[in-house]
């Protein structure tokens, strides 16, 4: 459960911290605001909230339907076979939330005892609160599970990586085209303190400093366009590249976002399944940005990875056998459970729900060929 919304005149502790930081050091980047709003060690959203499900602020695919984790589990078993069924390998999950996806994956893998004998699970999670949930969920997992805050410390070995709705939490910088049609001029969007209002609060402003066109932005930029840059995502993809250089492996990234780099302000805050003003009450709402799959794919190729996709979640899950799995489950389910299964599957693939906004990207070490679910 989340805490009640404070009154407007009652800033959150994080708002007070950010206000005094800005007053003493000047405005901060949007990325720094986002990093603290989500991950401040004491007051960050993920440190203090249980965000998932009907009672939380938003719902993710593994929380919607067990079929999601089962299909990903089957994909991972195939990937393990494709890398030669190593007798010891890492299965790394980035940002595992409640641990539901990993629980569904490990249940599915019971059909391959050798996979379960070989697996070393690593959960990359910064929030103590989410870790606690994950530990409860996986307490009966009969495989070694280790928690870490970043991938860096995990021993190198053949590796499979899964990240669902993780990259959208990584902080983005925003650059605004403030020139005219003849001359491009870029300024960074910053967060400052609202001095004109007696209630204070945070507000957006632009950097005095001018920037070059941000790396990766299409050359078609027009005045007022905003381009988002996620440096943390590039860093993580490079770390994936380092891990998959000497050892075989695949990484599967699932998230909402755009297939190609483009312009737009995609930053959004959500609380209690509703949009929330971005800068209001930091720490109480989830703050995310759409994932730029074009930028991820470029970073993957820079890191000498083979990149497949992005593919639409609907096509990916359908190709992995969503309908067949659903039919099997429905055979033994009562009317009410069957209806839940059908509506969950629909949410995963329907174009008005998660089917087209959500995309899937695979990055692999060389020589493995096209993975299931992607175009040959
Ligand atoms: N994958 C889950 C949860 C997605 S929410 C699901 O599909 O349900 C994002 C998760 O990433 C949360 O567990 C959050 O605590 C974690 N997280 C956010 N930023 C992180 C970071 N920089 N490093 C590691 N984990 C992070």
């Amino acid at each position: 459960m989340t805490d009640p919304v404070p009154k407007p005149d009652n800033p959150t502790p994080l708002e007070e911290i950010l206000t005094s930081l800005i007053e003493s050091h000047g405005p901060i980047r949007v990325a720094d605001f986002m990093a603290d709003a989500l991950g401040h060690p004491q007051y960050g959203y993920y440190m203090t909230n249980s965000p998932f499900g009907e009672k939380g602020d938003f719902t993710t695919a593994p929380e919607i339907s067990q079929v999601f984790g089962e299909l990903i589990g089957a994909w991972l078993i195939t990937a393990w076979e494709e890398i030669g069924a190593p007798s010891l390998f890492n299965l790394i999950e980035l940002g595992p939330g409640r641990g539901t996806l990993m629980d569904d994956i490990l249940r599915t893998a019971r059909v391959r005892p050798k996979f379960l004998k070989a697996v070393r699970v690593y959960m990359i999670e910064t929030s103590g609160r989410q870790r606690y949930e994950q530990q409860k969920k996986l307490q009966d997992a009969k495989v070694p599970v280790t928690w870490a805050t970043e991938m860096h410390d995990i021993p190198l070995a053949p590796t499979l990586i899964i990240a669902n709705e993780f990259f959208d939490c990584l902080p983005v910088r925003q650059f605004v085209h403030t020139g005219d049609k003849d001359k491009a001029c870029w300024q960074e969007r910053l967060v400052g303190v609202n001095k004109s209002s007696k209630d204070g609060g945070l507000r957006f402003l632009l950097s005095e400093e001018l920037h070059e066109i941000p790396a990766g932005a299409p050359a078609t930029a027009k005045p007022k366009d905003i381009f988002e840059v996620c440096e943390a995502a590039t860093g993580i993809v490079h770390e994936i590249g380092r891990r998959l250089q000497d050892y075989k492996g695949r990484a599967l990234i699932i998230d909402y976002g755009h297939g190609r780099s483009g312009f737009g302000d995609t930053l959004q805050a959500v609380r209690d399944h509703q949009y929330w003003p971005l800068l209001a009450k930091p720490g109480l709402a989830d703050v995310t940005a759409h994932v730029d799959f074009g930028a991820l794919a470029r970073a993957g190729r820079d890191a000498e990875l083979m990149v497949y996709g992005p593919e639409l979640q609907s096509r990916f899950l359908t190709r992995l056998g969503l309908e067949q799995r659903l039919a099997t489950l429905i055979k033994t389910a009562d009317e009410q459970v069957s209806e839940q299964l059908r509506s969950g599957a629909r949410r995963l693939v329907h174009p008005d729900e998660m089917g087209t906004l959500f995309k899937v990207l695979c990055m692999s070490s060389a020589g493995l060929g096209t993975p299931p679910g992607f175009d040959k």
Side-chain angles (χ1 to χ4, degrees):
M1 286 286 280
T2 44
D3 306 324
V5 182
K7 293 191 203 87
D9 58 342
N10 186 8
T12 57
L14 182 57
E15 192 171 342
E16 286 175 347
I17 292 170
L18 292 175
T19 301
S20 79
L21 177 83
I22 293 167
E23 280 173 347
S24 56
H25 290 85
I28 57 174
R29 294 168 173 179
V30 166
D32 297 327
F33 170 81
M34 191 172 166
D36 271 344
L38 294 179
H40 183 281
Q42 229 178 326
Y43 301 116
Y45 174 75
Y46 280 110
M47 311 302 161
T48 54
N49 285 275
S50 294
F52 308 101
E54 297 303 317
K55 289 193 186 139
D57 295 314
F58 59 89
T59 307
T60 57
E63 304 297 334
I64 290 172
S65 172
Q66 69 181 80
V67 177
F68 181 80
E70 291 170 350
L71 296 175
I72 302 294
W75 188 94
L76 289 166
I77 294 169
T78 306
W80 170 71
E81 286 162 354
E82 286 165 330
I83 63 172
S87 57
L88 197 154
F89 75 102
N90 298 334
L91 173 56
I92 301 177
E93 182 173 1
L94 306 178
R98 267 185 186 165
T100 306
L101 176 57
M102 186 54 74
D103 192 42
D104 289 342
I105 291 169
L106 294 176
R107 188 185 64 252
T108 306
R110 285 190 202 147
V111 298
R112 279 291 187 291
K114 284 190 178 154
F115 177 102
L116 289 178
K117 201 157 170 243
V119 73
R120 303 287 177 274
V121 173
Y122 290 94
M123 307 282 267
I124 305 296
E125 176 59 69
T126 38
S127 154
R129 185 160 179 162
Q130 309 309 327
R131 274 188 191 198
Y132 173 71
E133 294 282 327
Q134 294 154 18
Q135 277 159 357
K136 267 199 313 195
K137 180 72 99 186
L138 298 181
Q139 62 190 350
D140 297 326
K142 294 184 177 58
V143 300
V145 185
T146 307
W147 275 262
T149 45
E150 25 185 307
M151 269 189 291
H152 197 78
D153 304 327
I154 298 173
L156 292 174
T159 295
L160 302 177
I161 299 172
I162 171 79
N164 185 61
E165 288 209 44
F166 167 73
F167 279 82
D168 64 76
C169 309
L170 299 177
V172 294
R173 293 174 71 182
Q174 289 188 319
F175 295 91
V176 187
H177 184 315
T178 52
D180 54 34
K181 67 179 178 15
D182 300 318
K183 189 172 182 302
C185 173
W186 294 87
Q187 286 170 282
E188 182 159 9
R189 209 169 175 216
L190 303 175
V191 176
V193 172
N194 201 349
K195 293 209 178 81
S196 57
S197 148
K198 72 172 173 34
D199 296 332
L202 301 172
R203 68 179 179 109
F204 287 115
L205 66 149
L206 290 174
S207 66
E208 284 172 18
E209 195 191 344
L210 300 180
H211 293 263
E212 296 291 314
I213 180 165
T220 52
K222 298 183 305 308
K224 297 206 171 72
D225 275 345
I226 293 183
F227 190 70
E228 294 175 341
V229 176
C230 188
E231 290 163 353
T234 311
I236 289 172
V237 172
H238 284 161
E239 176 63 18
I240 294 175
R242 187 176 78 85
R243 300 192 153 261
L244 301 190
Q245 207 142 62
D246 295 334
Y247 291 93
K248 285 190 181 165
R250 290 201 195 272
L252 194 66
I253 297 170
I254 308 173
D255 224 305
Y256 53 101
H258 34 280
R260 285 194 202 157
S261 298
F263 298 105
D265 172 11
T266 75
L267 213 57
Q268 65 180 38
V270 167
R271 183 178 157 83
D272 199 13
H273 300 266
Q274 309 276 338
Y275 290 112
W276 178 264
L278 243 159
L279 300 181
K281 313 293 167 209
L284 292 189
D286 187 33
V287 181
T288 60
H290 283 205
V291 172
D292 179 350
F293 281 95
L296 285 187
R298 281 195 300 280
R301 289 190 200 100
D302 278 355
E304 294 179 27
L305 292 162
M306 300 296 292
V307 177
Y308 303 93
E311 186 52 90
L312 301 182
Q313 172 165 300
S314 56
R315 211 177 292 158
F316 178 74
L317 294 179
T318 305
R319 283 176 176 167
L320 294 190
L322 178 107
E323 290 301 330
Q324 294 85 331
R325 181 66 193 142
L326 190 62
T328 308
L329 288 171
I330 284 175
K331 257 188 217 152
T332 54
D334 63 27
E335 198 44 46
Q336 197 192 349
V337 174
S338 298
E339 193 34 48
Q340 279 166 4
L341 286 164
R342 273 193 216 99
S343 85
R346 184 184 178 279
R347 279 178 76 182
L348 296 180
V349 295
H350 196 278
D352 295 341
E353 306 258 3
M354 304 172 84
T356 50
L357 178 59
F358 279 72
K359 318 240 166 17
V360 187
L361 189 81
C362 175
M363 299 183 189
S364 290
S365 46
L368 295 179
T370 308
F374 293 88
D375 278 327
K376 292 271 176 294

